[in-house]
Amino acid sequence: RYECSYVYFVPSVWQYHLSNMKEVPKCIRLMSCSGEKLIKDLVKLMREKSSEETLILNQYGPAECTIDCLMSFIDDEME
């Protein structure tokens, strides 16, 4: 009935779900994560399983004082 357009998981949960699904539903426009290191292999898997228009957002923030304080969209040119 309702289509979700934004999904947030820590990278290990993204890894689990992406490894067990054929593709990310087309309604997902933003895939976001923080709380653990986002590695290149996971970004590659996120790209392979999602549509070209889907954005990937990596967030950072020290858990002791805030949830997220720095965010960066991930593109194919990033190292």
Side-chain angles (χ1 to χ4, degrees):
R1 182 173 166 188
Y2 299 102
E3 293 186 345
C4 179
S5 60
Y6 170 78
V7 179
Y8 168 87
F9 293 126
V10 295
S12 59
V13 175
W14 271 118
Q15 181 71 48
Y16 172 80
H17 286 296
L18 292 172
S19 297
N20 292 294
M21 63 189 334
K22 183 177 176 183
E23 64 182 22
V24 173
K26 302 251 185 271
C27 60
I28 303 298
R29 311 304 296 149
L30 179 60
M31 300 166 70
S32 180
C33 62
S34 69
E36 300 170 352
K37 183 178 180 179
L38 179 59
I39 60 172
K40 289 182 186 182
D41 288 344
L42 180 53
V43 172
K44 183 179 177 184
L45 184 61
M46 293 170 94
R47 288 271 178 236
E48 290 171 357
K49 302 270 184 155
S50 64
S51 71
E52 283 186 24
E53 296 83 24
T54 302
L55 299 173
I56 299 173
L57 181 63
N58 187 29
Q59 301 171 265
Y60 169 80
E64 296 79 18
C65 61
T66 187
I67 300 302
D68 296 304
C69 64
L70 179 65
M71 299 177 191
S72 176
F73 285 105
I74 306 296
D75 62 30
D76 293 333
E77 305 299 317
M78 297 183 85
E79 288 291 319

